Amino acid sequence: MTTEKTTAEAGTDGGIEVRPVAGHIGAEITGVDLAAGPDAAQVAAIRAAVLRWKVVFFRGQRLDHAGHVAFARRFGEPVVPPRRGKASPPDVPEIETTADRLELGGRFGMPHDEWLRRRRHTLHRGWHCDHGARVDPPAATILRAETVPPYGGDTTWANLAAAYAGLSAPLRAFVDGLRAEHRLGVGYQPRPGEDAYVRHLLDHQVATVHPLVRVHPETGERVLFVNGYYVEQIAGLSRPESQAILDLLLDQVTRPEYTVRFRWEPGSVAFWDNRATVHLAPSDNAHLDHPRTMHRVMLAGEVPVGVDGTPSEALLGSEPGRW
């Protein structure tokens, strides 16, 4: 499925226009009012665009919480996270709201910028798919901007299918048969003494063995299922071997040609395939005196399956379909 056309790499389908914004990932969609509810043809076109371009962007939308959830339901079943931040609307359990410093500053007994540094002490640590340590990570995420700073606060996505295809044939054959343990909180640097965030991680631990290369359930593409935030170690390799291979793969995934960066505006919506992308939330706005309030809905996903047909194996803290 694709909405890619020969004319300027853009196309119109279901009355909407899909205009790619980067060579391997990302397209902007116009001509649809998400609050009014897209019709069946528009839903099909949006779904095809998400599968083709991995993340699509809408601007100038006027969604409220109910409209956000209703739009998400056209594409799958929204999950209801058991734990949400204090900024999340109490009467709409499908929506998670983050308000940056307003939400996270001081939550774990440290300033937000220190907490961020401890989570992102290497260049790769911030890259992640949503809830990748679960045995059934969400299939997709729909993120809506309410308030954004006048500058800074951009989000970046990377195309995991393009990254896999860009590997040499011998390396693809090697990683096809590997599996890796994904664990919540991997790589976080504890604070000396009592660390409330470490206690939080231990109290809510989640771990899964996923194929390092998963087969996308809709497109059939092979996807390099790796990220810097959750992957603990490649199974069967020594830790130094594992780290060297992971660094190589993460360098591949985050090559600029496989990424797209989005400048948020109030009313912007990003809809991405969480099975075929990783993303990097911004770290350039914590020092700015401007709020950044975002609302997220995630769609239930499948248990990943590797090239050999073997599914992921839950180790701790998650069961398929149960949040």
Side-chain angles (χ1 to χ4, degrees):
M1 291 185 296
T2 178
T3 56
E4 186 181 15
K5 308 295 182 186
T6 57
T7 305
E9 291 295 307
T12 301
D13 200 356
I16 69 175
E17 182 178 20
V18 179
R19 184 170 296 278
V21 295
H24 286 287
I25 179 173
E28 188 162 316
I29 294 181
T30 58
V32 60
D33 182 352
L34 302 185
D39 61 28
Q42 291 173 330
V43 167
I46 293 168
R47 184 186 299 276
V50 172
L51 292 176
R52 170 62 180 88
W53 294 105
K54 313 311 181 196
V55 56
V56 299
F57 309 111
F58 307 85
R59 294 192 182 275
Q61 300 295 323
R62 298 183 179 181
L63 284 174
D64 57 14
H65 293 328
H68 191 166
V69 175
F71 173 68
R73 287 193 186 280
R74 302 296 300 276
F75 299 90
E77 182 62 30
V79 302
V80 178
R83 293 172 297 277
R84 300 183 299 152
K86 294 179 181 178
S88 299
D91 55 340
V92 189
E94 299 90 349
I95 287 184
E96 290 182 292
T97 297
T98 43
D100 280 358
R101 291 171 295 104
L102 302 176
E103 172 72 10
L104 297 170
R107 179 178 173 187
F108 298 108
M110 67 184 83
H112 176 59
D113 58 347
E114 179 187 350
W115 175 77
L116 196 62
R117 286 197 305 271
R118 293 185 179 279
R119 294 179 72 200
R120 297 189 183 180
H121 57 88
T122 73
L123 293 177
H124 292 143
R125 283 298 176 201
W127 288 94
H128 67 287
C129 63
D130 287 333
H131 292 274
R134 286 188 54 87
V135 71
D136 58 344
T141 297
I142 303 172
L143 186 65
R144 166 172 56 103
E146 177 182 320
T147 305
V148 298
Y151 53 90
D154 298 358
T155 304
T156 306
W157 288 263
N159 182 337
L160 299 179
Y164 172 84
L167 294 172
S168 65
L171 190 51
R172 290 198 303 269
F174 174 60
V175 298
D176 277 350
L178 297 178
R179 297 169 70 80
E181 180 179 322
H182 295 230
R183 184 175 290 272
L184 184 64
V186 165
Y188 172 75
Q189 289 186 324
R191 201 180 198 193
E194 182 65 23
D195 191 323
Y197 189 58
V198 169
R199 174 51 52 192
H200 169 80
L201 293 173
L202 292 174
D203 288 345
H204 304 98
Q205 193 51 248
V206 180
T208 299
V209 175
H210 287 303
L212 199 61
V213 178
R214 70 177 294 187
V215 178
H216 194 286
E218 295 187 68
T219 68
E221 295 171 295
R222 294 187 182 186
V223 174
L224 192 57
F225 199 51
V226 63
N227 67 82
Y229 187 61
Y230 289 114
V231 181
E232 167 73 14
Q233 185 174 355
I234 299 175
L237 302 188
S238 69
R239 191 164 287 276
E241 290 172 335
S242 173
Q243 193 58 58
I245 296 297
L246 288 173
D247 285 343
L248 183 154
L249 296 178
L250 288 166
D251 281 340
Q252 170 75 358
V253 164
T254 58
R255 283 170 53 173
E257 60 263 42
Y258 300 136
T259 68
V260 65
R261 180 166 175 159
F262 185 61
R263 170 90 277 271
W264 293 97
E265 300 169 349
S268 295
V269 175
F271 182 173
W272 66 91
D273 188 335
N274 194 55
R275 303 161 296 190
T277 62
V278 289
H279 60 279
L280 183 67
S283 58
D284 65 344
N285 63 309
H287 65 291
L288 302 177
D289 190 25
H290 299 289
R292 183 178 184 274
T293 303
M294 314 291 285
H295 307 288
R296 176 175 75 171
V297 176
M298 298 176 293
L299 301 179
E302 315 85 359
V303 175
V305 174
V307 174
D308 64 356
T310 303
S312 300
E313 177 188 0
L315 299 179
L316 183 68
S318 72
E319 298 179 28
R322 297 186 63 181
W323 279 74

